[in-house]
PDB file of all heavy atoms in Angstrom:
ATOM      1  N   LYS A  15       0.900  -1.196   0.010  1.00 91.00           N
ATOM      2  CA  LYS A  15      -0.053   0.030  -0.029  1.00 91.00           C
ATOM      3  C   LYS A  15       0.828   1.286   0.065  1.00 91.00           C
ATOM      4  O   LYS A  15       1.857   1.231   0.672  1.00 91.00           O
ATOM      5  CB  LYS A  15      -0.950   0.046   1.210  1.00 91.00           C
ATOM      6  CG  LYS A  15      -2.225  -0.619   0.933  1.00 91.00           C
ATOM      7  CD  LYS A  15      -3.168  -0.190   2.229  1.00 91.00           C
ATOM      8  CE  LYS A  15      -4.596  -0.726   1.839  1.00 91.00           C
ATOM      9  NZ  LYS A  15      -5.578  -0.126   2.901  1.00 91.00           N
ATOM     10  N   TYR A  16       0.418   2.301  -0.725  1.00 95.00           N
ATOM     11  CA  TYR A  16       1.240   3.536  -0.876  1.00 95.00           C
ATOM     12  C   TYR A  16       0.474   4.523   0.032  1.00 95.00           C
ATOM     13  O   TYR A  16      -0.601   4.843  -0.166  1.00 95.00           O
ATOM     14  CB  TYR A  16       1.332   3.942  -2.364  1.00 95.00           C
ATOM     15  CG  TYR A  16       2.128   3.037  -3.218  1.00 95.00           C
ATOM     16  CD1 TYR A  16       1.545   1.716  -3.724  1.00 95.00           C
ATOM     17  CD2 TYR A  16       3.483   3.288  -3.491  1.00 95.00           C
ATOM     18  CE1 TYR A  16       2.352   0.964  -4.518  1.00 95.00           C
ATOM     19  CE2 TYR A  16       4.229   2.420  -4.304  1.00 95.00           C
ATOM     20  CZ  TYR A  16       3.712   1.228  -4.735  1.00 95.00           C
ATOM     21  OH  TYR A  16       4.351   0.398  -5.542  1.00 95.00           O
ATOM     22  N   LYS A  17       1.396   5.088   0.930  1.00 94.00           N
ATOM     23  CA  LYS A  17       0.791   6.070   1.790  1.00 94.00           C
ATOM     24  C   LYS A  17       1.574   7.418   1.563  1.00 94.00           C
ATOM     25  O   LYS A  17       2.540   7.511   0.794  1.00 94.00           O
ATOM     26  CB  LYS A  17       0.988   5.721   3.238  1.00 94.00           C
ATOM     27  CG  LYS A  17       0.181   4.249   3.524  1.00 94.00           C
ATOM     28  CD  LYS A  17       0.374   4.001   5.065  1.00 94.00           C
ATOM     29  CE  LYS A  17      -0.354   2.666   5.258  1.00 94.00           C
ATOM     30  NZ  LYS A  17      -0.124   2.269   6.663  1.00 94.00           N
ATOM     31  N   LYS A  18       1.126   8.501   2.253  1.00 94.00           N
ATOM     32  CA  LYS A  18       1.695   9.808   2.162  1.00 94.00           C
ATOM     33  C   LYS A  18       1.806  10.263   0.702  1.00 94.00           C
ATOM     34  O   LYS A  18       3.014  10.891   0.288  1.00 94.00           O
ATOM     35  CB  LYS A  18       3.015   9.811   2.787  1.00 94.00           C
ATOM     36  CG  LYS A  18       2.953   9.524   4.302  1.00 94.00           C
ATOM     37  CD  LYS A  18       4.292   9.511   5.050  1.00 94.00           C
ATOM     38  CE  LYS A  18       4.110   9.340   6.598  1.00 94.00           C
ATOM     39  NZ  LYS A  18       5.473   9.332   7.124  1.00 94.00           N
ATOM     40  N   LEU A  19       0.845  10.052   0.031  1.00 98.00           N
ATOM     41  CA  LEU A  19       0.861  10.545  -1.413  1.00 98.00           C
ATOM     42  C   LEU A  19       0.390  11.882  -1.660  1.00 98.00           C
ATOM     43  O   LEU A  19       0.506  12.522  -2.650  1.00 98.00           O
ATOM     44  CB  LEU A  19       0.036   9.533  -2.284  1.00 98.00           C
ATOM     45  CG  LEU A  19       0.471   8.110  -2.397  1.00 98.00           C
ATOM     46  CD1 LEU A  19      -0.631   7.272  -3.026  1.00 98.00           C
ATOM     47  CD2 LEU A  19       1.724   8.022  -3.027  1.00 98.00           C
ATOM     48  N   TYR A  20      -0.598  12.318  -0.732  1.00 98.00           N
ATOM     49  CA  TYR A  20      -1.330  13.654  -1.020  1.00 98.00           C
ATOM     50  C   TYR A  20      -0.381  14.886  -1.137  1.00 98.00           C
ATOM     51  O   TYR A  20      -0.660  15.726  -1.905  1.00 98.00           O
ATOM     52  CB  TYR A  20      -2.303  13.775   0.158  1.00 98.00           C
ATOM     53  CG  TYR A  20      -3.467  14.814  -0.348  1.00 98.00           C
ATOM     54  CD1 TYR A  20      -4.305  14.427  -1.332  1.00 98.00           C
ATOM     55  CD2 TYR A  20      -3.522  16.104   0.367  1.00 98.00           C
ATOM     56  CE1 TYR A  20      -5.363  15.437  -1.671  1.00 98.00           C
ATOM     57  CE2 TYR A  20      -4.587  16.968  -0.052  1.00 98.00           C
ATOM     58  CZ  TYR A  20      -5.366  16.616  -0.997  1.00 98.00           C
ATOM     59  OH  TYR A  20      -6.374  17.447  -1.331  1.00 98.00           O
ATOM     60  N   LYS A  21       0.559  14.937  -0.277  1.00 97.00           N
ATOM     61  CA  LYS A  21       1.577  16.147  -0.384  1.00 97.00           C
ATOM     62  C   LYS A  21       2.201  16.115  -1.673  1.00 97.00           C
ATOM     63  O   LYS A  21       2.381  17.304  -2.359  1.00 97.00           O
ATOM     64  CB  LYS A  21       2.513  15.973   0.778  1.00 97.00           C
ATOM     65  CG  LYS A  21       3.480  17.214   0.978  1.00 97.00           C
ATOM     66  CD  LYS A  21       4.398  17.107   2.063  1.00 97.00           C
ATOM     67  CE  LYS A  21       5.356  18.270   2.210  1.00 97.00           C
ATOM     68  NZ  LYS A  21       6.241  18.200   3.288  1.00 97.00           N
ATOM     69  N   LYS A  22       2.587  15.130  -2.260  1.00 98.00           N
ATOM     70  CA  LYS A  22       3.246  15.062  -3.513  1.00 98.00           C
ATOM     71  C   LYS A  22       2.225  15.342  -4.594  1.00 98.00           C
ATOM     72  O   LYS A  22       2.528  15.998  -5.492  1.00 98.00           O
ATOM     73  CB  LYS A  22       3.830  13.569  -3.763  1.00 98.00           C
ATOM     74  CG  LYS A  22       4.584  13.445  -5.034  1.00 98.00           C
ATOM     75  CD  LYS A  22       5.180  12.097  -5.167  1.00 98.00           C
ATOM     76  CE  LYS A  22       6.046  11.902  -6.428  1.00 98.00           C
ATOM     77  NZ  LYS A  22       6.495  10.471  -6.659  1.00 98.00           N
ATOM     78  N   LEU A  23       0.936  14.813  -4.438  1.00 98.00           N
ATOM     79  CA  LEU A  23      -0.044  15.160  -5.425  1.00 98.00           C
ATOM     80  C   LEU A  23      -0.288  16.634  -5.500  1.00 98.00           C
ATOM     81  O   LEU A  23      -0.501  17.315  -6.589  1.00 98.00           O
ATOM     82  CB  LEU A  23      -1.349  14.499  -4.983  1.00 98.00           C
ATOM     83  CG  LEU A  23      -2.515  14.449  -6.019  1.00 98.00           C
ATOM     84  CD1 LEU A  23      -3.361  13.343  -5.679  1.00 98.00           C
ATOM     85  CD2 LEU A  23      -3.296  15.729  -5.921  1.00 98.00           C
ATOM     86  N   CYS A  24      -0.257  17.357  -4.369  1.00 98.00           N
ATOM     87  CA  CYS A  24      -0.529  18.769  -4.302  1.00 98.00           C
ATOM     88  C   CYS A  24       0.750  19.666  -4.399  1.00 98.00           C
ATOM     89  O   CYS A  24       0.545  20.874  -4.278  1.00 98.00           O
ATOM     90  CB  CYS A  24      -1.149  19.151  -2.909  1.00 98.00           C
ATOM     91  SG  CYS A  24      -2.688  18.342  -2.548  1.00 98.00           S
ATOM     92  N   SER A  25       1.783  19.112  -4.717  1.00 98.00           N
ATOM     93  CA  SER A  25       2.983  20.028  -4.918  1.00 98.00           C
ATOM     94  C   SER A  25       2.804  20.791  -6.172  1.00 98.00           C
ATOM     95  O   SER A  25       2.232  20.401  -7.106  1.00 98.00           O
ATOM     96  CB  SER A  25       4.206  19.005  -5.099  1.00 98.00           C
ATOM     97  OG  SER A  25       4.231  18.360  -6.225  1.00 98.00           O
ATOM     98  N   ILE A  26       3.548  21.922  -6.114  1.00 98.00           N
ATOM     99  CA  ILE A  26       3.547  22.893  -7.193  1.00 98.00           C
ATOM    100  C   ILE A  26       4.020  22.154  -8.501  1.00 98.00           C
ATOM    101  O   ILE A  26       3.619  22.373  -9.603  1.00 98.00           O
ATOM    102  CB  ILE A  26       4.326  24.177  -6.839  1.00 98.00           C
ATOM    103  CG1 ILE A  26       3.407  25.062  -5.927  1.00 98.00           C
ATOM    104  CG2 ILE A  26       4.506  25.000  -8.250  1.00 98.00           C
ATOM    105  CD1 ILE A  26       2.076  25.455  -6.474  1.00 98.00           C
ATOM    106  N   ASN A  27       5.115  21.424  -8.297  1.00 98.00           N
ATOM    107  CA  ASN A  27       5.754  20.725  -9.386  1.00 98.00           C
ATOM    108  C   ASN A  27       4.806  19.749 -10.136  1.00 98.00           C
ATOM    109  O   ASN A  27       4.672  19.754 -11.298  1.00 98.00           O
ATOM    110  CB  ASN A  27       7.036  19.889  -8.946  1.00 98.00           C
ATOM    111  CG  ASN A  27       8.134  20.780  -8.655  1.00 98.00           C
ATOM    112  OD1 ASN A  27       8.166  21.867  -9.154  1.00 98.00           O
ATOM    113  ND2 ASN A  27       9.161  20.274  -8.009  1.00 98.00           N
ATOM    114  N   ASN A  28       3.994  18.962  -9.373  1.00 98.00           N
ATOM    115  CA  ASN A  28       2.910  18.143  -9.893  1.00 98.00           C
ATOM    116  C   ASN A  28       1.858  18.832 -10.581  1.00 98.00           C
ATOM    117  O   ASN A  28       1.281  18.530 -11.605  1.00 98.00           O
ATOM    118  CB  ASN A  28       2.459  17.129  -8.825  1.00 98.00           C
ATOM    119  CG  ASN A  28       1.493  16.186  -9.477  1.00 98.00           C
ATOM    120  OD1 ASN A  28       1.880  15.588 -10.496  1.00 98.00           O
ATOM    121  ND2 ASN A  28       0.406  15.973  -8.946  1.00 98.00           N
ATOM    122  N   LEU A  29       1.391  19.901  -9.858  1.00 98.00           N
ATOM    123  CA  LEU A  29       0.322  20.691 -10.513  1.00 98.00           C
ATOM    124  C   LEU A  29       0.796  21.499 -11.701  1.00 98.00           C
ATOM    125  O   LEU A  29       0.000  21.480 -12.780  1.00 98.00           O
ATOM    126  CB  LEU A  29      -0.241  21.799  -9.424  1.00 98.00           C
ATOM    127  CG  LEU A  29      -0.923  21.094  -8.195  1.00 98.00           C
ATOM    128  CD1 LEU A  29      -1.242  22.252  -7.208  1.00 98.00           C
ATOM    129  CD2 LEU A  29      -2.044  20.301  -8.627  1.00 98.00           C
ATOM    130  N   ALA A  30       1.865  21.841 -11.753  1.00 98.00           N
ATOM    131  CA  ALA A  30       2.522  22.471 -12.965  1.00 98.00           C
ATOM    132  C   ALA A  30       2.613  21.488 -14.038  1.00 98.00           C
ATOM    133  O   ALA A  30       2.311  21.716 -15.370  1.00 98.00           O
ATOM    134  CB  ALA A  30       3.830  23.006 -12.679  1.00 98.00           C
ATOM    135  N   LEU A  31       3.099  20.249 -13.818  1.00 98.00           N
ATOM    136  CA  LEU A  31       3.076  19.086 -14.808  1.00 98.00           C
ATOM    137  C   LEU A  31       1.683  18.761 -15.287  1.00 98.00           C
ATOM    138  O   LEU A  31       1.374  18.561 -16.620  1.00 98.00           O
ATOM    139  CB  LEU A  31       3.729  17.976 -14.189  1.00 98.00           C
ATOM    140  CG  LEU A  31       3.727  16.675 -15.128  1.00 98.00           C
ATOM    141  CD1 LEU A  31       4.499  16.904 -16.442  1.00 98.00           C
ATOM    142  CD2 LEU A  31       4.298  15.473 -14.331  1.00 98.00           C
ATOM    143  N   ALA A  32       0.766  18.768 -14.347  1.00 98.00           N
ATOM    144  CA  ALA A  32      -0.681  18.531 -14.715  1.00 98.00           C
ATOM    145  C   ALA A  32      -1.257  19.491 -15.562  1.00 98.00           C
ATOM    146  O   ALA A  32      -1.998  19.294 -16.561  1.00 98.00           O
ATOM    147  CB  ALA A  32      -1.532  18.329 -13.378  1.00 98.00           C
ATOM    148  N   PHE A  33      -0.869  20.869 -15.409  1.00 97.00           N
ATOM    149  CA  PHE A  33      -1.270  21.930 -16.308  1.00 97.00           C
ATOM    150  C   PHE A  33      -0.859  21.783 -17.579  1.00 97.00           C
ATOM    151  O   PHE A  33      -1.559  21.985 -18.540  1.00 97.00           O
ATOM    152  CB  PHE A  33      -0.806  23.349 -15.657  1.00 97.00           C
ATOM    153  CG  PHE A  33      -0.806  24.439 -16.670  1.00 97.00           C
ATOM    154  CD1 PHE A  33      -2.048  25.006 -17.009  1.00 97.00           C
ATOM    155  CD2 PHE A  33       0.322  24.861 -17.308  1.00 97.00           C
ATOM    156  CE1 PHE A  33      -2.148  26.060 -17.926  1.00 97.00           C
ATOM    157  CE2 PHE A  33       0.187  25.864 -18.170  1.00 97.00           C
ATOM    158  CZ  PHE A  33      -0.912  26.436 -18.550  1.00 97.00           C
ATOM    159  N   ARG A  34       0.552  21.377 -17.702  1.00 97.00           N
ATOM    160  CA  ARG A  34       0.996  21.223 -19.125  1.00 97.00           C
ATOM    161  C   ARG A  34       0.276  20.137 -19.878  1.00 97.00           C
ATOM    162  O   ARG A  34       0.085  20.148 -21.047  1.00 97.00           O
ATOM    163  CB  ARG A  34       2.591  20.963 -19.034  1.00 97.00           C
ATOM    164  CG  ARG A  34       3.433  22.142 -18.612  1.00 97.00           C
ATOM    165  CD  ARG A  34       4.819  21.990 -18.761  1.00 97.00           C
ATOM    166  NE  ARG A  34       5.400  20.827 -17.985  1.00 97.00           N
ATOM    167  CZ  ARG A  34       5.820  20.943 -16.641  1.00 97.00           C
ATOM    168  NH1 ARG A  34       5.745  22.307 -16.079  1.00 97.00           N
ATOM    169  NH2 ARG A  34       6.310  20.041 -16.012  1.00 97.00           N
ATOM    170  N   LYS A  35       0.089  19.036 -19.121  1.00 97.00           N
ATOM    171  CA  LYS A  35      -0.781  17.902 -19.834  1.00 97.00           C
ATOM    172  C   LYS A  35      -2.151  18.334 -20.146  1.00 97.00           C
ATOM    173  O   LYS A  35      -2.655  17.932 -21.311  1.00 97.00           O
ATOM    174  CB  LYS A  35      -0.636  16.685 -18.831  1.00 97.00           C
ATOM    175  CG  LYS A  35       0.502  16.016 -18.743  1.00 97.00           C
ATOM    176  CD  LYS A  35       0.550  14.831 -17.902  1.00 97.00           C
ATOM    177  CE  LYS A  35       1.812  14.124 -17.675  1.00 97.00           C
ATOM    178  NZ  LYS A  35       1.864  12.881 -16.931  1.00 97.00           N
ATOM    179  N   ALA A  36      -2.795  19.128 -19.376  1.00 96.00           N
ATOM    180  CA  ALA A  36      -4.242  19.611 -19.522  1.00 96.00           C
ATOM    181  C   ALA A  36      -4.239  20.479 -20.736  1.00 96.00           C
ATOM    182  O   ALA A  36      -5.175  20.539 -21.535  1.00 96.00           O
ATOM    183  CB  ALA A  36      -4.741  20.070 -18.262  1.00 96.00           C
ATOM    184  N   ARG A  37      -3.232  21.376 -20.876  1.00 95.00           N
ATOM    185  CA  ARG A  37      -3.165  22.291 -21.888  1.00 95.00           C
ATOM    186  C   ARG A  37      -2.802  21.776 -23.229  1.00 95.00           C
ATOM    187  O   ARG A  37      -3.106  22.319 -24.241  1.00 95.00           O
ATOM    188  CB  ARG A  37      -1.984  23.200 -21.504  1.00 95.00           C
ATOM    189  CG  ARG A  37      -1.841  24.416 -22.593  1.00 95.00           C
ATOM    190  CD  ARG A  37      -0.511  25.275 -22.302  1.00 95.00           C
ATOM    191  NE  ARG A  37       0.721  24.488 -22.210  1.00 95.00           N
ATOM    192  CZ  ARG A  37       1.867  24.979 -21.905  1.00 95.00           C
ATOM    193  NH1 ARG A  37       2.000  26.282 -21.637  1.00 95.00           N
ATOM    194  NH2 ARG A  37       2.952  24.055 -22.098  1.00 95.00           N
ATOM    195  N   LYS A  38      -2.281  20.542 -23.293  1.00 93.00           N
ATOM    196  CA  LYS A  38      -1.695  19.881 -24.491  1.00 93.00           C
ATOM    197  C   LYS A  38      -2.924  19.916 -25.619  1.00 93.00           C
ATOM    198  O   LYS A  38      -3.920  19.425 -25.270  1.00 93.00           O
ATOM    199  CB  LYS A  38      -1.244  18.438 -24.323  1.00 93.00           C
ATOM    200  CG  LYS A  38      -0.570  17.899 -25.551  1.00 93.00           C
ATOM    201  CD  LYS A  38       0.126  16.582 -25.130  1.00 93.00           C
ATOM    202  CE  LYS A  38       0.761  15.952 -26.362  1.00 93.00           C
ATOM    203  NZ  LYS A  38       1.437  14.690 -26.167  1.00 93.00           N
ATOM    204  N   GLY A  39      -2.628  20.533 -26.773  1.00 87.00           N
ATOM    205  CA  GLY A  39      -3.633  20.473 -27.870  1.00 87.00           C
ATOM    206  C   GLY A  39      -4.580  21.575 -27.693  1.00 87.00           C
ATOM    207  O   GLY A  39      -5.572  21.795 -28.566  1.00 87.00           O
ATOM    208  N   LYS A  40      -4.632  22.331 -26.675  1.00 90.00           N
ATOM    209  CA  LYS A  40      -5.613  23.358 -26.326  1.00 90.00           C
ATOM    210  C   LYS A  40      -4.932  24.727 -25.883  1.00 90.00           C
ATOM    211  O   LYS A  40      -5.598  25.683 -25.293  1.00 90.00           O
ATOM    212  CB  LYS A  40      -6.568  22.909 -25.181  1.00 90.00           C
ATOM    213  CG  LYS A  40      -7.277  21.660 -25.449  1.00 90.00           C
ATOM    214  CD  LYS A  40      -8.085  21.206 -24.287  1.00 90.00           C
ATOM    215  CE  LYS A  40      -9.036  20.116 -24.648  1.00 90.00           C
ATOM    216  NZ  LYS A  40      -8.306  18.895 -25.208  1.00 90.00           N
ATOM    217  N   SER A  41      -3.700  24.833 -26.305  1.00 88.00           N
ATOM    218  CA  SER A  41      -3.067  26.115 -25.890  1.00 88.00           C
ATOM    219  C   SER A  41      -3.613  27.437 -26.386  1.00 88.00           C
ATOM    220  O   SER A  41      -3.321  28.430 -25.862  1.00 88.00           O
ATOM    221  CB  SER A  41      -1.500  26.030 -26.290  1.00 88.00           C
ATOM    222  OG  SER A  41      -1.413  25.797 -27.677  1.00 88.00           O
ATOM    223  N   LYS A  42      -4.413  27.382 -27.417  1.00 89.00           N
ATOM    224  CA  LYS A  42      -4.974  28.529 -28.095  1.00 89.00           C
ATOM    225  C   LYS A  42      -6.453  28.851 -27.558  1.00 89.00           C
ATOM    226  O   LYS A  42      -7.015  29.748 -27.867  1.00 89.00           O
ATOM    227  CB  LYS A  42      -5.000  28.389 -29.578  1.00 89.00           C
ATOM    228  CG  LYS A  42      -3.694  28.464 -30.120  1.00 89.00           C
ATOM    229  CD  LYS A  42      -3.686  28.385 -31.823  1.00 89.00           C
ATOM    230  CE  LYS A  42      -2.294  28.262 -32.294  1.00 89.00           C
ATOM    231  NZ  LYS A  42      -2.394  28.174 -33.799  1.00 89.00           N
ATOM    232  N   LYS A  43      -6.874  27.946 -26.643  1.00 91.00           N
ATOM    233  CA  LYS A  43      -8.173  28.209 -26.128  1.00 91.00           C
ATOM    234  C   LYS A  43      -8.198  29.399 -25.070  1.00 91.00           C
ATOM    235  O   LYS A  43      -7.187  29.484 -24.335  1.00 91.00           O
ATOM    236  CB  LYS A  43      -8.715  26.989 -25.324  1.00 91.00           C
ATOM    237  CG  LYS A  43      -8.858  25.661 -26.249  1.00 91.00           C
ATOM    238  CD  LYS A  43     -10.141  25.789 -27.103  1.00 91.00           C
ATOM    239  CE  LYS A  43     -10.410  24.536 -27.770  1.00 91.00           C
ATOM    240  NZ  LYS A  43     -11.659  24.634 -28.647  1.00 91.00           N
ATOM    241  N   PHE A  44      -9.078  30.065 -25.051  1.00 93.00           N
ATOM    242  CA  PHE A  44      -9.249  31.326 -24.307  1.00 93.00           C
ATOM    243  C   PHE A  44      -8.989  31.082 -22.695  1.00 93.00           C
ATOM    244  O   PHE A  44      -8.334  31.817 -22.035  1.00 93.00           O
ATOM    245  CB  PHE A  44     -10.450  32.146 -24.548  1.00 93.00           C
ATOM    246  CG  PHE A  44     -11.607  31.643 -23.787  1.00 93.00           C
ATOM    247  CD1 PHE A  44     -12.044  32.136 -22.456  1.00 93.00           C
ATOM    248  CD2 PHE A  44     -12.452  30.677 -24.370  1.00 93.00           C
ATOM    249  CE1 PHE A  44     -13.126  31.633 -21.837  1.00 93.00           C
ATOM    250  CE2 PHE A  44     -13.559  30.105 -23.801  1.00 93.00           C
ATOM    251  CZ  PHE A  44     -13.855  30.655 -22.515  1.00 93.00           C
ATOM    252  N   TYR A  45      -9.572  29.943 -22.332  1.00 93.00           N
ATOM    253  CA  TYR A  45      -9.495  29.672 -20.849  1.00 93.00           C
ATOM    254  C   TYR A  45      -8.024  29.234 -20.395  1.00 93.00           C
ATOM    255  O   TYR A  45      -7.685  29.416 -19.395  1.00 93.00           O
ATOM    256  CB  TYR A  45     -10.625  28.555 -20.412  1.00 93.00           C
ATOM    257  CG  TYR A  45     -10.589  27.399 -21.304  1.00 93.00           C
ATOM    258  CD1 TYR A  45      -9.616  26.278 -21.044  1.00 93.00           C
ATOM    259  CD2 TYR A  45     -11.485  27.044 -22.235  1.00 93.00           C
ATOM    260  CE1 TYR A  45      -9.593  25.251 -21.797  1.00 93.00           C
ATOM    261  CE2 TYR A  45     -11.523  25.966 -23.040  1.00 93.00           C
ATOM    262  CZ  TYR A  45     -10.522  24.955 -22.719  1.00 93.00           C
ATOM    263  OH  TYR A  45     -10.648  23.807 -23.554  1.00 93.00           O
ATOM    264  N   VAL A  46      -7.483  28.626 -21.340  1.00 93.00           N
ATOM    265  CA  VAL A  46      -5.942  28.200 -21.139  1.00 93.00           C
ATOM    266  C   VAL A  46      -5.103  29.463 -21.038  1.00 93.00           C
ATOM    267  O   VAL A  46      -4.295  29.671 -20.229  1.00 93.00           O
ATOM    268  CB  VAL A  46      -5.526  27.264 -22.179  1.00 93.00           C
ATOM    269  CG1 VAL A  46      -4.003  26.941 -21.997  1.00 93.00           C
ATOM    270  CG2 VAL A  46      -6.309  26.022 -22.148  1.00 93.00           C
TER     271      VAL A  46
END
């Protein structure tokens, strides 16, 4: 079992990576 994952999930580095993945193919959308 994997514990103590939430802090890593909420890290700025992970959120920035998540942003880049969510932006992929949609960089010209106004909300992006």
Side-chain angles (χ1 to χ4, degrees):
K15 266 195 176 186
Y16 292 81
K17 301 180 180 181
K18 298 181 180 180
L19 297 172
Y20 197 67
K21 186 176 179 181
K22 186 177 179 182
L23 190 156
C24 297
S25 70
I26 289 297
N27 285 342
N28 186 48
L29 294 178
L31 174 61
F33 163 76
R34 292 193 294 273
K35 289 183 176 182
R37 180 187 61 180
K38 190 174 181 180
K40 296 177 174 62
S41 58
K42 294 182 180 180
K43 297 287 186 180
F44 77 92
Y45 53 79
V46 177

